Amino acid sequence: MMEDETFTDISGKTISLDCQSHSSFCREFTVSSPKVSIGKVMVYTCSVWLLAYAAFFITQNTAVLSSAILITLVGMMFHIHFVKVDHESLLVIGSLGIQVSSSYASGREITTFIEMSKIKDIVINEAIYMHQIIYYLCVLLKDPSEPNAVSSVVPLFQSSKPRLNCLVKVYKSCQEILSKSQ
Amino acid sequence: MVLKIFFPQCCNRADSGLLVGRWISGHDSAVVLAVIHYPFIPGQVKQYVQQVGAASGVELSVLGSWSLPKEGQEGMESFLRDLSTIFPQQRWLQIRRQMGKTGFTCEVLNRDQSKTAEEKEEEEVIFVHYEQRKVMLSQLHPIESGDAKTDPPSELRQVFQTVALSQPLFFLDKYDDGPLKSTHWQSEGREASIIVELLKQASVPLCLLLSWLLSTFLSFSSCFFCRIFNFYPLRFLSTKLSTCVQLSYRTEHMKTLSSPKPAAGHSQFMRKANMLVSVLVDVALGVLLMSWLYRDDHITMLANTLVPAADHVAKELDQLLQWLMGAPAGLKMNRALDQVLGRFFLYHIHLWISYIHLMSPFIEGILWYGGLSACLGLSFALSLLSDMVALFTFHIYCFYVYGARLYCLKIYGLSSLWRLFRGKKWNVLRQRVDSCSYDLDQLFIGTLLFTILLFLLPTTALYYLVFTLLRLVVVLFQGVLHLSVDFINSFPLFAVGLRICRSYRLAGTKPSQRQYGGPDLPDSDLQLLPRDSWLALVKKLFVGELIYPWRHKTTKSRLRIQKRGRREERGRDRIGDF
């Protein structure tokens, strides 16, 4: 079952949610952020190079130009490798655990696996951030020796920051699986 | 109920046979460790499984059957089902796969009812493929708390533990001529490295040799040096000199490394490995430094620049004192006190310069022999440098102590007399300020003294400020050296290397300090700031208490602070109770 509706994140940019149900106790949710826009890249690159040209005009030193090129390249590589998240996914396997992974624009993926015995619940929390109240989905972890206390909170979909309608969908799906396995 | 089966990736293409592994109690899951192929004799299989189970301490059993039919091999289904009667199990797994197709089929036969899974309450199966070698080598299973926990460890931990402990099962490879043939990650041939095996064989006699050398060195030094160091001032000095501290620290390390017992547990092994790697890197860097130092007459160059540098520093200090004795920054100082203090410090500088000139022919020799210590490691060279800096700037330390003591006394006197001025008194018993009625003559003398101290305050404060700043510069430089020595000592290079090259070996619990650093490191090792916070440091500076540079925490320093505290208390009492 594949679904693709248009949701937005908290700043208003369009994101997309993809729910895949591999079996009755295994579901995967992928939230994709909007890609890097060409316009923004052009604006940044042009501004950096204009500054470099201005500096070159004043100092007449060609090292300024080459360093500007180097800075632009390194900055772009750094941005797509460490900063720009392409999609984040949540894989829930009943009675085994939850896998959270973020994949960056350069293809790098970081994955975290949380065992089912450590998961207390998945909830939607609200947070006050300056002038807005934002909702985020998070996993409540517990220590197996203390089943009633929440030991830590792991927020999900931190880079894409979807809005409440998207989160509610994911939450309902997850709860169906979690309630069966706990 | 969901049944989880952990299946090794290496067995995906194994020939048909029996599955050997372990049922994890309480969690409804099974770990498959190896596949034993046809033809086999059931009695021998049972014996082998029992043997390996006893050797490894894991409750191994035959889990079920695995069928990957080659071309022209049909009719295994009934044969496979009959096998379940030979190996009596509560549950019998039948995993099937076709060549060329990627799907696995799994059927679970329960002993009491021989119905297939679909007819009962929708028993679902999760198949997890794991890479056996990496799971075996990663240390995810050891539990940090030593005592037995009341609840059993989590399922994944037990899986990792099972695979890691079943090493004896993986010794049987395809070149063995025994009655059984099995498939697991090592079945293509046992993996070993000649270098590792040779090192293992050589390590025991090497450890014995090292411990013998260490014991002779320690006994020699203890009987020889103890006679000298038994006097109080020298022992005190030996704990303050960072070279001696570093020496004792390294001997501790070597003692740990040279014990011939193998490491008990993973954290102990990591600690030893980190120590060994840091010692080796230290010695390598030290030898590098030595090769640079003893080439091209660098030592003579250094020695020739050292004495003029010390002269230059003394001249600068001279000029500074002359400036202070005049009207520094436009402030008007008390002429008499100014002259006294200035001349006192000038005489000290004169003494120091003559001392330096006395030492100057020996500097080159000292540097030459001192440079030899770098063969023991770069950390020794750095600590020697720090000690030499401390010795060469001893006069700055003296000035700082004089200025600080004077200022401290003045501040305490002022605070006590100020209380008298307002009619209050410090109650030592209750540790608070109480009101007190003084006699007229007490008030008169107290106010006089207060005025004198108050008007002499700017002079003393200025001297104190200048010398404290100088001392802080020296302390900062020494601190940087100590920090780098600590860094060399305690940076877990082995762990970092493992993380880069074989990250699965480090996939343990959260990397707490106990795994790498170990509780036997002194606490001050990775301290960047003084033990108090910045606020406490500023407060100490304001009041005039002496600050000590970074040093390894010893009981001596704590005792000294306590003694000083008591002396100050007594001082306060003397001034306070008129």
Side-chain angles (χ1 to χ4, degrees), chain B residues 378-394:
Chain B
L378 185 68
S379 49
F380 279 100
L382 285 176
S383 32
L384 202 69
L385 179 69
S386 146
D387 285 336
M388 281 182 27
V389 162
L391 279 177
F392 276 122
T393 56
F394 192 63

Side-chain angles (χ1 to χ4, degrees), chain B residues 48-58 60 165-169 171:
Chain B
Y48 175 67
V49 168
Q50 237 176 358
Q51 231 176 8
V52 176
S56 59
V58 180
L60 293 175
L165 290 177
S166 329
Q167 298 238 10
L169 187 63
F171 288 163

Side-chain angles (χ1 to χ4, degrees), chain B residues 425-434 569 572-573:
Chain B
K425 184 184 135 166
W426 174 257
N427 191 338
V428 185
L429 202 60
R430 307 247 173 161
Q431 297 286 314
R432 64 170 187 210
V433 178
D434 278 342
E569 283 266 354
R572 258 189 282 169
D573 286 347

Side-chain angles (χ1 to χ4, degrees), chain A residues 59-114:
Chain A
T59 59
Q60 292 295 324
N61 188 358
T62 50
V64 170
L65 293 177
S66 27
S67 61
I69 295 178
L70 210 66
I71 289 174
T72 323
L73 280 176
V74 168
M76 272 205 281
M77 287 202 299
F78 182 81
H79 185 78
I80 61 172
H81 195 70
F82 291 108
V83 174
K84 181 85 190 91
V85 168
D86 189 46
H87 59 263
E88 293 171 299
S89 76
L90 173 71
L91 171 70
V92 183
I93 307 178
S95 82
L96 192 63
I98 286 186
Q99 175 164 292
V100 181
S101 85
S102 307
S103 141
Y104 290 84
S106 64
R108 178 172 85 113
E109 261 200 56
I110 50 176
T111 323
T112 319
F113 180 78
I114 309 173

Side-chain angles (χ1 to χ4, degrees), chain A residues 133-174:
Chain A
I133 297 182
I134 54 177
Y135 297 95
Y136 61 99
L137 193 68
C138 58
V139 182
L140 299 178
L141 299 184
K142 68 170 192 250
D143 214 3
S145 52
E146 260 183 275
N148 292 330
V150 175
S151 71
S152 55
V153 172
V154 176
L156 305 171
F157 303 127
Q158 279 199 293
S159 311
S160 14
K161 299 198 193 65
R163 278 206 165 147
L164 191 60
N165 43 6
C166 179
L167 291 179
V168 164
K169 237 167 147 220
V170 176
Y171 172 78
K172 281 193 187 149
S173 263
C174 289

